[in-house]
Amino acid sequence: LTTAHSMDLYQAAADVVARVQRREGAPAALCLGATYKNKRRLLALVSETLRYWRVIADVLKASDVRRHIKLAEPLVAVMVHDLLLGPGIKCGGKQKQLIIKHKARLGAELARLKIRAGVTDVVDLIPPMLKLAGCMPRYVRVNLLRIPFQDAVDQLAREFELTASPPANLCKLPKNTFCRDAHLSDLLVFGPRTDLHEHPLYTDGKLILQDKASCFPASVLCPPAGSVCVDACSAPGNKTSHAAAVMSNKGTIHAFDIDSARMKTMQRLHERAGVTCVKYHLQSFLESDTSDPAYSNATCFLVDPSCSGSGIVGRMDDVFEASENEATNTTAGAEETPDGEPAASRVQSLAEFQRSCVLHAMSFPSAQRVCYSTCSVHQEENEGVVAAVLEANPEFELSEALPSWHRRGLVDAGLTEAQAKCVVRTEPVQDFLTGFFVALFVRKGQAASTSSGAAKKKKNNKKKKKRKRKGPDDATANGKEHATQ
């Protein structure tokens, strides 16, 4: 890069950091919308600056050099990052001189910081959840609307090594290696830091870069082809497109969101993914009319409302908090929670909103299955909401979500042991994915009929096998089940 282009990069990165600081959005989305052309380089600098934000802030405070540097805080941070932790400051002019003259003092304070923390590597100064982000496996959903699963695997196997025996710790999946996911049939797992943003399969919409936990809701809800589904809080739209793939683009998905910019982004991504069964509604789901004929046959509901985001690995907006233990704030775009609330009050406000969304979904006349999910680890937003919903609407009960998953709900949060076994929890450090929660509500009588259908199908399959041993038979098995994988 020329010195002029380097300064453009620093200024663009500083602008994104400032917007993240103001909680205007996630780093990746803000970098994507920036005017700077090299999005990958921009995102790399922004992400690394934010990962080391507290380290940089502590060094600047201890060195007391900020009073000599009359530049905005975000710009100082990205330049100090490159000075101390990166390739060195690449720009020229007054800005570089303002920073570089303090290099010895800044370096000495960084060394003292490591000594005080008892570490030898600066990476050990990063908060645990941010540190974990750099070594997490990369999950990739094969978009079955664009390409058969095996075709995608075969094409990827020409460039990456496909292993049938991945390590138990997926963070140790070797570079340039991938495997099939153990729980979801349309998901692949790649080694940490695998970048597929410019891969033809991704740019053609055949691969969706989506965290494994985020793939749970559509898999658990499993709306049948031809059904009418509602996605209550749809943007950025990956769960919506996953539901469309589960439905084979047959039927209708009503997708709600309150933000026009996010809605446009979602529509653009859906177009690339080949999603054609979605009707978009720029309004709050809570304002939707349950008596509207458009929703009279809606049976399946995805409810993934705004939450604290406390389970997100590498969540960057939290780096600006004074304490690592302070609870996280609402995700960008959550209109329902007032700014400035104490953390505990904020979580409680979110839980009330989440409860309202689930109960509103249940109030639609044909609602049969409601999948509730969050990327939170707080009991108040998870088991607490489920318990409150079950108490408020006795017409619904829990059905076991994703039976093959090992980590279930917490009993001491308002649920019975049997109810807790029905819901799903994920834990970032042990499960190698986002902290997540999923619960599947079904209208009473539905779970029994589903189980009955599954049992009948199993019984008929046994009969068919027995008949095959005796000779051909034209009898067909009846009974259908909702697969929750």
Side-chain angles (χ1 to χ4, degrees):
L1 285 178
T2 65
T3 55
H5 286 163
S6 293
M7 196 61 225
D8 289 343
L9 171 62
Y10 289 141
Q11 190 59 62
D15 290 344
V16 172
V17 169
R19 294 185 66 188
V20 174
Q21 194 171 22
R22 294 194 297 269
R23 302 187 183 278
E24 293 181 11
L30 294 174
C31 286
L32 188 63
T35 56
Y36 188 79
K37 291 184 178 180
N38 193 327
K39 310 295 186 186
R40 181 188 293 183
R41 187 182 295 274
L42 177 61
L43 180 58
L45 179 55
V46 168
S47 298
E48 288 303 294
T49 299
L50 291 173
R51 282 217 308 155
Y52 285 98
W53 182 269
R54 288 177 182 162
V55 176
I56 295 169
D58 288 346
V59 167
L60 287 170
K61 182 178 180 180
S63 65
D64 195 31
V65 300
R66 278 293 285 123
R67 60 193 178 96
H68 303 295
I69 303 175
K70 305 303 181 183
L71 297 174
E73 180 185 36
L75 182 57
V76 173
V78 296
M79 294 178 73
V80 168
H81 169 272
D82 270 11
L83 177 68
L84 297 180
L85 307 168
I89 298 177
K90 297 299 183 182
C91 71
K94 294 181 180 179
Q95 291 94 339
K96 178 177 180 178
Q97 294 307 315
L98 281 171
I99 305 292
I100 204 76
K101 66 190 296 186
H102 301 290
K103 181 177 181 179
R105 181 69 183 275
L106 292 168
E109 290 301 337
L110 178 59
R112 291 190 185 96
L113 187 61
K114 289 192 289 185
I115 292 171
R116 287 196 298 270
V119 302
T120 57
D121 193 333
V122 68
V123 73
D124 292 323
L125 296 174
I126 300 174
M129 286 290 274
L130 291 179
K131 185 178 178 181
L132 183 63
C135 64
M136 292 288 274
R138 301 297 192 193
Y139 295 97
V140 178
R141 176 167 61 83
V142 176
N143 179 15
L144 302 180
L145 297 177
R146 289 289 197 200
I147 187 172
F149 182 81
Q150 191 58 48
D151 286 2
V153 171
D154 291 343
Q155 290 187 42
L156 290 166
R158 296 170 193 161
E159 305 171 55
F160 302 89
E161 180 182 351
L162 174 62
T163 177
S165 303
N169 183 347
L170 290 174
C171 294
K172 296 181 179 179
L173 195 64
K175 187 178 180 180
N176 297 323
T177 303
F178 76 108
C179 63
R180 294 178 175 84
D181 183 71
H183 303 93
L184 302 181
S185 62
D186 54 358
L187 198 66
L188 299 172
V189 191
F190 287 77
R193 297 190 179 277
T194 301
D195 188 355
L196 295 170
H197 284 90
E198 296 181 4
H199 195 283
L201 289 178
Y202 171 75
T203 57
D204 289 345
K206 296 174 181 177
L207 298 181
I208 307 292
L209 306 183
Q210 185 173 359
D211 186 76
K212 176 174 178 173
S214 177
C215 296
F216 283 178
S219 299
V220 167
L221 183 66
C222 200
S227 63
V228 178
C229 179
V230 173
D231 190 344
C233 311
S234 55
N238 279 343
K239 297 181 187 69
T240 320
S241 69
H242 194 190
V246 171
M247 296 166 62
S248 301
N249 252 346
K250 298 175 181 177
T252 303
I253 300 176
H254 294 281
F256 289 84
D257 201 80
I258 60 172
D259 187 276
S260 59
R262 294 205 308 269
M263 183 70 80
K264 289 178 181 177
T265 299
M266 177 169 60
Q267 289 173 307
R268 186 175 68 251
L269 294 176
H270 285 177
E271 183 178 358
R272 185 174 73 182
V275 175
T276 58
C277 64
V278 176
K279 292 185 178 180
Y280 301 94
H281 303 270
L282 186 60
Q283 70 174 99
S284 169
F285 172 65
L286 290 177
E287 295 175 359
S288 59
D289 183 359
T290 60
S291 64
D292 189 324
Y295 315 126
S296 61
N297 294 320
T299 57
C300 299
F301 290 76
L302 278 174
V303 182
D304 186 71
S306 297
C307 71
S308 65
S310 53
I312 299 175
V313 175
R315 180 169 176 169
M316 296 299 187
D317 55 358
D318 284 339
V319 300
F320 304 109
E321 299 295 339
S323 167
E324 291 184 22
N325 296 321
E326 184 171 345
T328 56
N329 291 301
T330 57
T331 52
E335 62 174 354
E336 294 80 12
T337 303
D339 290 332
E341 284 189 66
S345 298
R346 190 181 298 274
V347 170
Q348 186 57 45
S349 294
L350 284 166
E352 292 173 1
F353 166 66
Q354 292 152 357
R355 173 179 172 274
S356 297
C357 286
V358 177
L359 289 174
H360 187 60
M362 290 176 171
S363 68
F364 282 75
S366 298
Q368 301 294 336
R369 297 166 67 83
V370 177
C371 183
Y372 170 63
S373 60
T374 74
C375 51
S376 170
V377 297
H378 297 312
Q379 293 183 19
E380 295 92 334
E381 297 178 89
N382 297 332
E383 291 89 353
V385 168
V386 171
V389 166
L390 290 172
E391 183 178 0
N393 190 337
E395 294 182 11
F396 280 78
E397 61 188 349
L398 290 172
S399 181
E400 186 177 12
L402 205 68
S404 62
W405 187 253
H406 58 286
R407 196 177 306 282
R408 315 310 292 188
L410 304 177
V411 177
D412 59 347
L415 300 182
T416 66
E417 185 174 349
Q419 290 171 334
K421 287 181 178 179
C422 286
V423 303
V424 166
R425 265 185 174 268
T426 66
E427 203 285 322
V429 176
Q430 297 180 45
D431 299 329
F432 321 117
L433 66 163
T434 295
F436 213 78
F437 178 86
V438 183
L440 177 63
F441 299 93
V442 296
R443 193 176 292 276
K444 287 183 177 178
Q446 289 301 116
S449 63
T450 298
S451 299
S452 176
K456 187 183 292 185
K457 185 174 182 178
K458 186 175 181 180
K459 184 176 180 181
N460 285 334
N461 285 339
K462 287 183 177 179
K463 288 182 178 179
K464 289 171 88 174
K465 289 180 181 178
K466 188 175 181 180
R467 286 168 182 160
K468 282 182 180 179
R469 287 195 293 269
K470 292 181 178 180
D473 192 294
D474 292 331
T476 57
N478 295 318
K480 235 178 178 184
E481 60 177 315
H482 290 295
T484 57
Q485 298 196 33

